PDB file of all heavy atoms in Angstrom:
ATOM      1  N   ILE J1370      93.565  98.763  90.407  1.00 91.00           N
ATOM      2  CA  ILE J1370      93.465  99.694  91.510  1.00 91.00           C
ATOM      3  C   ILE J1370      94.603  99.441  92.486  1.00 91.00           C
ATOM      4  O   ILE J1370      95.134  98.299  92.573  1.00 91.00           O
ATOM      5  CB  ILE J1370      92.089  99.577  92.244  1.00 91.00           C
ATOM      6  CG1 ILE J1370      91.917 100.697  93.271  1.00 91.00           C
ATOM      7  CG2 ILE J1370      91.965  98.194  92.850  1.00 91.00           C
ATOM      8  CD1 ILE J1370      90.526 100.803  93.824  1.00 91.00           C
ATOM      9  N   ALA J1371      95.013 100.455  93.179  1.00 93.00           N
ATOM     10  CA  ALA J1371      95.952 100.323  94.259  1.00 93.00           C
ATOM     11  C   ALA J1371      95.425 100.953  95.569  1.00 93.00           C
ATOM     12  O   ALA J1371      94.799 101.967  95.504  1.00 93.00           O
ATOM     13  CB  ALA J1371      97.283 101.004  93.907  1.00 93.00           C
ATOM     14  N   CYS J1372      95.511 100.159  96.663  1.00 95.00           N
ATOM     15  CA  CYS J1372      95.021 100.692  97.943  1.00 95.00           C
ATOM     16  C   CYS J1372      96.178 100.583  98.925  1.00 95.00           C
ATOM     17  O   CYS J1372      96.985  99.607  98.943  1.00 95.00           O
ATOM     18  CB  CYS J1372      93.916  99.831  98.450  1.00 95.00           C
ATOM     19  SG  CYS J1372      92.413  99.787  97.421  1.00 95.00           S
ATOM     20  N   GLU J1373      96.255 101.587  99.773  1.00 97.00           N
ATOM     21  CA  GLU J1373      97.303 101.628 100.775  1.00 97.00           C
ATOM     22  C   GLU J1373      96.758 101.705 102.157  1.00 97.00           C
ATOM     23  O   GLU J1373      95.596 102.246 102.367  1.00 97.00           O
ATOM     24  CB  GLU J1373      98.174 102.875 100.547  1.00 97.00           C
ATOM     25  CG  GLU J1373      98.908 102.966  99.271  1.00 97.00           C
ATOM     26  CD  GLU J1373      99.679 104.265  99.092  1.00 97.00           C
ATOM     27  OE1 GLU J1373      99.738 105.090 100.004  1.00 97.00           O
ATOM     28  OE2 GLU J1373     100.263 104.427  98.019  1.00 97.00           O
ATOM     29  N   ALA J1374      97.474 101.230 103.177  1.00 98.00           N
ATOM     30  CA  ALA J1374      97.065 101.284 104.554  1.00 98.00           C
ATOM     31  C   ALA J1374      98.415 101.445 105.312  1.00 98.00           C
ATOM     32  O   ALA J1374      99.432 100.944 104.967  1.00 98.00           O
ATOM     33  CB  ALA J1374      96.273 100.070 105.025  1.00 98.00           C
ATOM     34  N   GLU J1375      98.285 102.241 106.431  1.00 97.00           N
ATOM     35  CA  GLU J1375      99.512 102.514 107.133  1.00 97.00           C
ATOM     36  C   GLU J1375      99.248 102.700 108.613  1.00 97.00           C
ATOM     37  O   GLU J1375      98.183 103.135 109.048  1.00 97.00           O
ATOM     38  CB  GLU J1375     100.133 103.892 106.615  1.00 97.00           C
ATOM     39  CG  GLU J1375     101.447 104.249 107.171  1.00 97.00           C
ATOM     40  CD  GLU J1375     102.023 105.449 106.486  1.00 97.00           C
ATOM     41  OE1 GLU J1375     101.333 106.141 105.776  1.00 97.00           O
ATOM     42  OE2 GLU J1375     103.282 105.646 106.697  1.00 97.00           O
ATOM     43  N   SER J1376     100.228 102.275 109.387  1.00 97.00           N
ATOM     44  CA  SER J1376     100.218 102.546 110.870  1.00 97.00           C
ATOM     45  C   SER J1376     101.541 103.274 111.193  1.00 97.00           C
ATOM     46  O   SER J1376     102.317 103.503 110.286  1.00 97.00           O
ATOM     47  CB  SER J1376     100.117 101.239 111.662  1.00 97.00           C
ATOM     48  OG  SER J1376     101.333 100.505 111.573  1.00 97.00           O
ATOM     49  N   GLN J1377     101.792 103.491 112.428  1.00 96.00           N
ATOM     50  CA  GLN J1377     103.040 104.071 112.739  1.00 96.00           C
ATOM     51  C   GLN J1377     104.226 103.098 112.532  1.00 96.00           C
ATOM     52  O   GLN J1377     105.382 103.527 112.324  1.00 96.00           O
ATOM     53  CB  GLN J1377     103.111 104.506 114.250  1.00 96.00           C
ATOM     54  CG  GLN J1377     102.286 105.688 114.535  1.00 96.00           C
ATOM     55  CD  GLN J1377     102.323 106.134 115.979  1.00 96.00           C
ATOM     56  OE1 GLN J1377     102.674 105.342 116.874  1.00 96.00           O
ATOM     57  NE2 GLN J1377     102.098 107.394 116.224  1.00 96.00           N
ATOM     58  N   LEU J1378     103.888 101.834 112.424  1.00 97.00           N
ATOM     59  CA  LEU J1378     104.952 100.794 112.317  1.00 97.00           C
ATOM     60  C   LEU J1378     105.138 100.245 110.883  1.00 97.00           C
ATOM     61  O   LEU J1378     106.251  99.975 110.534  1.00 97.00           O
ATOM     62  CB  LEU J1378     104.597  99.667 113.217  1.00 97.00           C
ATOM     63  CG  LEU J1378     104.519 100.025 114.747  1.00 97.00           C
ATOM     64  CD1 LEU J1378     104.098  98.795 115.531  1.00 97.00           C
ATOM     65  CD2 LEU J1378     105.779 100.617 115.242  1.00 97.00           C
ATOM     66  N   VAL J1379     104.103 100.131 110.114  1.00 97.00           N
ATOM     67  CA  VAL J1379     104.154  99.516 108.788  1.00 97.00           C
ATOM     68  C   VAL J1379     103.350 100.284 107.774  1.00 97.00           C
ATOM     69  O   VAL J1379     102.286 100.889 108.143  1.00 97.00           O
ATOM     70  CB  VAL J1379     103.777  98.060 108.794  1.00 97.00           C
ATOM     71  CG1 VAL J1379     104.661  97.238 109.677  1.00 97.00           C
ATOM     72  CG2 VAL J1379     102.325  97.876 109.135  1.00 97.00           C
ATOM     73  N   TRP J1380     103.769 100.247 106.530  1.00 98.00           N
ATOM     74  CA  TRP J1380     103.031 100.770 105.359  1.00 98.00           C
ATOM     75  C   TRP J1380     102.764  99.557 104.461  1.00 98.00           C
ATOM     76  O   TRP J1380     103.712  98.738 104.230  1.00 98.00           O
ATOM     77  CB  TRP J1380     103.825 101.823 104.640  1.00 98.00           C
ATOM     78  CG  TRP J1380     103.204 102.304 103.364  1.00 98.00           C
ATOM     79  CD1 TRP J1380     102.334 103.361 103.183  1.00 98.00           C
ATOM     80  CD2 TRP J1380     103.416 101.719 102.065  1.00 98.00           C
ATOM     81  NE1 TRP J1380     101.996 103.523 101.872  1.00 98.00           N
ATOM     82  CE2 TRP J1380     102.655 102.573 101.092  1.00 98.00           C
ATOM     83  CE3 TRP J1380     104.175 100.735 101.569  1.00 98.00           C
ATOM     84  CZ2 TRP J1380     102.621 102.298  99.803  1.00 98.00           C
ATOM     85  CZ3 TRP J1380     104.118 100.466 100.175  1.00 98.00           C
ATOM     86  CH2 TRP J1380     103.358 101.244  99.345  1.00 98.00           C
ATOM     87  N   MET J1381     101.541  99.435 103.930  1.00 98.00           N
ATOM     88  CA  MET J1381     101.281  98.358 103.038  1.00 98.00           C
ATOM     89  C   MET J1381     100.489  98.855 101.858  1.00 98.00           C
ATOM     90  O   MET J1381      99.729  99.808 101.967  1.00 98.00           O
ATOM     91  CB  MET J1381     100.481  97.254 103.820  1.00 98.00           C
ATOM     92  CG  MET J1381     101.297  96.629 104.942  1.00 98.00           C
ATOM     93  SD  MET J1381     100.303  95.517 105.973  1.00 98.00           S
ATOM     94  CE  MET J1381      99.929  94.222 104.812  1.00 98.00           C
TER      95      MET J1381
END
Side-chain angles (χ1 to χ4, degrees):
I1370 188 170
C1372 296
E1373 298 177 3
E1375 184 173 17
S1376 72
Q1377 290 184 333
L1378 302 175
V1379 300
W1380 174 90
M1381 296 173 66

